[in-house]
Amino acid sequence: MTRMIERWFPCAEVSAATASGWGSGKSEKALFTWFAARPLAQAKAAVLTSLLPWSEDEGEQKRLQQLVRDAMTARDAKHAELVAEIAKTHPDGASMLDPFSGRAMIPLEGARLGVQAHGVDYSPVAALAGSLLADYPLRDWSNEPSLPFRDRDQLETSRLLDDVTAFLDEIGRRYAAAVADIYPAVDGAQPWGYVWAQTLPCQECARRFPLTGSLVLRHPLPAKNDPGQSYRIDVDRAAGTFTVVVHDGAPIQQPTLVARTRDGKAIKGKSAICPFCSHPHLKQVHQRLAQERLAQDVLLVAADLDPKVGKVFRQPTDEERAAADLASKLLAEEPSFGWIPAVPDEGIPVGNSDTVRASVYGARTYGDLCNARQTLGFVRLARVIADTATELKAHGISDDYAAALAGYAGSVFVRKIKRSTRGTALLPHNHATSNRVQTNHIFQNEASLSFGYDYFETGLGDGPGTWPSLADDTVTVIRNQAARAVGRPANLQRGSALSLPFRDSSLSAVVTDPPYDDMIDYSDASDLFYVWLKRALHTTAPSFAITSHPQGVQEKADEVIVKRFRAWKTDTDHRTREHYDSSIAKAFSEARRVVRDDGVVTIVFGHGDPEVWQRLLGAINQAQLVLTGSWPAKTEAGGGAGAANIVTTLTMSCRPAPPERPSGRKGAVEAEIKTEIKRRYPDWERWGLAPADMLMAAAGPAMEVVGRYREVLDSRGEPVDIYTFLPLARAAVQEAMAVEIDHHPLETFDARTRFALWWVRLYGRQVQAKSELRWQTLASSMDLAEVRDLVPNASKGVRFTAAQQFNARINGESAVIDVALALATASEDGLAAMGEVLATSGRGADDAYLWAAVQFLADRLPDSDPDAIAFSRVRRARDGIANAAELVIAGDEVRQQRQLDEDSQMRLL
């Protein structure tokens, strides 16, 4: 049976739904902190088209296409019709698996459609997140006894919703009571939070001082006559003590962490300036002191909630300081959680300096990431969750329901951790109409846990990051899920995609969004959650804490990622590119094993690095799968930095490679690829794909064509590597686009200029990975050396050259792009200099290709770019440059004639 995804996919509808609203999955993602998730619209479309058939009847094709299009207008649009169609196609029941399920967005959509949906993830944290989203909300809990602390008559719309609300409220009350001794109320109200900093001893005067990066607490807002608030550090040099003073207005002194220069050049990292003696400590110095465990935490400022102003700040009271100091003593007295110590002693594995930034500043265990009071608060919160869930079981609540309720409390706990540790900072906004104050979270840089010497601790008030605020968010998500169409619970479990617990040929489809190479260190980034969840869930999910890792964190052996930075530079981590490539191929082989003969393996993938695509497609080929369909959709935000800066992903359908495929000839296969890409290009354009995204999308049809053949042979009968066709596919995109530069087809320019203009057309001034340069040169049939000066190295990659850095020698053989860049450089020196360049190149005012290139570069580069300004200057001075060139040429002719005359006179003598 041919599946719909092999012939059609709602690309435009997915792109539109993903942009905002239900299709983004924003509500579902808010339930649990995880680092990646398919947009709900793409997950739904992938599941539907992988299960629905593609009829031979054209009328039936159109009917099902319209049904799927209608289904993409809302979460559960056309639900009954879809369930009926799936049941008709799969009379014995449809089943599906996501072997990299994460927070279970893909299994969720299968489960909502009544499909027997399975999800497997190597991380127990992800498996828990998936159960909270795609399993528990679809179960019937109506036969469970009433919770002892809620009225059964208060039933809203869902038993689970009501009980989670009551359970989280109860946890909040018990937690507040458990930590009242370390978070005292002030004037009858609980503070929103506290500003802390770490102190280090000055290496000159030996006095301790706090390291602070900003003294702003709330920016001024003249529109509301709000002067704002800041603080300063007053020092008593004789006593060797300091005092923090909160005051109105902007800061009146520098923070102690500042950027400095030496000989006019910026010093790397911020230096810590001692306020007692002004001695500077370079980054490597204060970092070393922190690594030697010399840092101490000190409470600086308290934050309250004011009904008129919002967040207001003050000096802490003596009682607040005493309570903060008491935490260390009380923490040492906390009993263990069975065999698990109260304070996490799980070590941060070596090589995590990028993922766990605090490990660069002295943290050795996950218990080191918080100050003593934060840690004590987490210990007591974990105990409250565990003890309350145990009480429920004693009251007759089933083990499963107690585990579910404790799991939802754990999800709030995780999101509270996300806004805790020394990685959370105060975030005062500074806008003309708003000066609200918030806090950031610890994952500001994708999946890396941030760190700061000065940081913010949330208290027991009602502000962002507090238990009541976070619990309300959880209840909102469950309320939204309770309003959805009914389905059947998904089966989520912890396991390895390399060894799936399913029989051969047992599933209707495998639909998965596998890890993207080195984008995210999933287990390392979530180990902080894991160590605390172990403690909170030890009475309801004791197996959650079981791990074979020697440091007690999540297992890493079968994790299918490339460990960022570490595996590239050392041999201490097994998660190398080779590990990823072999593991992903094995996972795809397992997917092929468990899917039925008439089923498909659907893979969703997106990455900005062409080499990652090369390796992924190699893994698909190694798994004896062939692509039968590939569909691009704009599903990512884009615009960020690094490898994760992708906008388009491909949804690719695969089948086991047929054993009787014919051999193909290289020339014929190349022609097929070009024809296929030319056929698809109008759709890509209609769906709004950018040219750079089309280059990525082109890999799909290229591999579809190659997959039709057992092998592809060249003219000598030698096998051709499949990677040969990826650059060809990219070139075919350029050919299909039929790019014109001021009405001149791009292919009519010289090769070097063609390369440069195409690069600027794609990327402008953006930095790209060096691998992108290699792939572009391959697609252009050029050597890297021929264009390396046009795209030199830049920070973290390569970028189109700046005219002032370009040093090509101009002559009559120079490429158009070289002359254009030389003109831009000479424009700073006036018409005569530009005329000299033009004359030397042998080109003139009527050279259409030169001036078309100048016009294109002026228009394509950012308006503020110095070269865009220079090219505009050149363009405006075109006639003047031509006249200056003529004068240069005329002068040269006069000099040449004079030289000839002088030579003649010499011969006569």
Side-chain angles (χ1 to χ4, degrees), residues 285-585:
V285 174
H286 60 74
Q287 193 175 78
R288 173 181 58 79
L289 296 175
Q291 289 170 347
E292 293 173 358
R293 317 275 281 188
L294 296 177
Q296 296 178 4
D297 297 286
V298 61
L299 177 61
L300 300 181
V301 176
D304 296 322
L305 295 175
D306 183 273
K308 293 182 179 179
V309 179
K311 313 296 192 315
V312 294
F313 300 87
R314 57 176 173 77
Q315 281 101 263
T317 65
D318 290 342
E319 184 183 6
E320 287 176 308
R321 294 187 188 281
D325 293 339
L326 178 64
S328 294
K329 176 179 180 295
L330 296 177
L331 183 60
E333 299 170 355
E334 283 289 320
S336 64
F337 295 85
W339 54 272
I340 306 173
V343 178
D345 61 351
E346 292 88 345
I348 302 169
V350 174
N352 269 300
S353 59
D354 180 66
T355 305
V356 185
R357 294 297 300 159
S359 64
V360 181
Y361 296 88
R364 297 168 190 167
T365 70
Y366 282 97
D368 292 335
L369 300 190
C370 300
N371 67 37
R373 184 164 71 173
Q374 288 177 309
T375 303
L376 179 59
F378 286 167
V379 168
R380 291 182 175 176
L381 176 55
R383 202 178 308 282
V384 165
I385 294 171
D387 291 349
T388 308
T390 299
E391 289 178 24
L392 294 185
K393 292 197 291 183
H395 192 72
I397 298 294
S398 69
D399 288 351
D400 278 0
Y401 200 34
L405 295 174
Y408 286 112
S411 76
V412 181
F413 193 0
V414 160
R415 287 183 293 112
K416 185 169 177 58
I417 295 169
K418 180 182 174 182
R419 294 191 176 274
S420 302
T421 81
R422 298 188 188 91
T424 296
L426 200 66
L427 190 63
H429 292 274
N430 188 18
H431 304 297
T433 58
S434 173
N435 65 343
R436 63 179 180 158
V437 180
Q438 295 179 297
T439 62
N440 65 10
H441 60 75
I442 59 178
F443 295 110
Q444 288 299 293
N445 183 19
E446 194 64 42
S448 295
L449 284 71
S450 56
F451 168 83
Y453 285 117
D454 53 340
Y455 56 96
F456 190 81
E457 175 197 23
T458 55
L460 299 181
D462 294 326
T466 60
W467 183 269
S469 173
L470 297 170
D472 286 347
D473 293 341
T474 297
V475 169
T476 298
V477 175
I478 299 174
R479 181 176 290 111
N480 291 339
Q481 291 300 306
R484 291 198 63 180
V486 296
R488 62 185 297 176
N491 171 35
L492 283 304
Q493 58 183 300
R494 192 262 177 186
S496 172
L498 310 187
S499 181
L500 294 171
F502 299 95
R503 300 189 314 275
D504 294 0
S505 304
S506 59
L507 300 168
S508 307
V510 173
V511 184
T512 191
D513 173 26
Y516 295 179
D517 195 67
D518 67 342
M519 279 193 179
I520 297 173
D521 302 343
Y522 290 96
S523 67
D524 290 321
S526 59
D527 276 338
L528 174 61
F529 300 155
Y530 178 66
V531 301
W532 284 110
L533 287 171
K534 283 165 64 172
R535 289 154 173 82
L537 306 180
H538 79 282
T539 60
T540 53
S543 63
F544 186 87
I546 297 174
T547 175
S548 63
H549 196 285
Q551 291 177 279
V553 294
Q554 296 175 99
E555 294 172 11
K556 322 289 181 188
D558 284 351
E559 187 175 24
V560 186
I561 66 163
V562 176
K563 177 63 176 173
R564 267 191 296 186
F565 303 116
R566 181 180 177 190
W568 294 355
K569 298 179 180 179
T570 73
D571 58 0
T572 59
D573 196 300
H574 70 282
R575 292 169 291 177
T576 62
R577 287 177 174 173
E578 293 74 21
H579 165 82
Y580 176 86
D581 292 347
S582 63
S583 296
I584 201 75

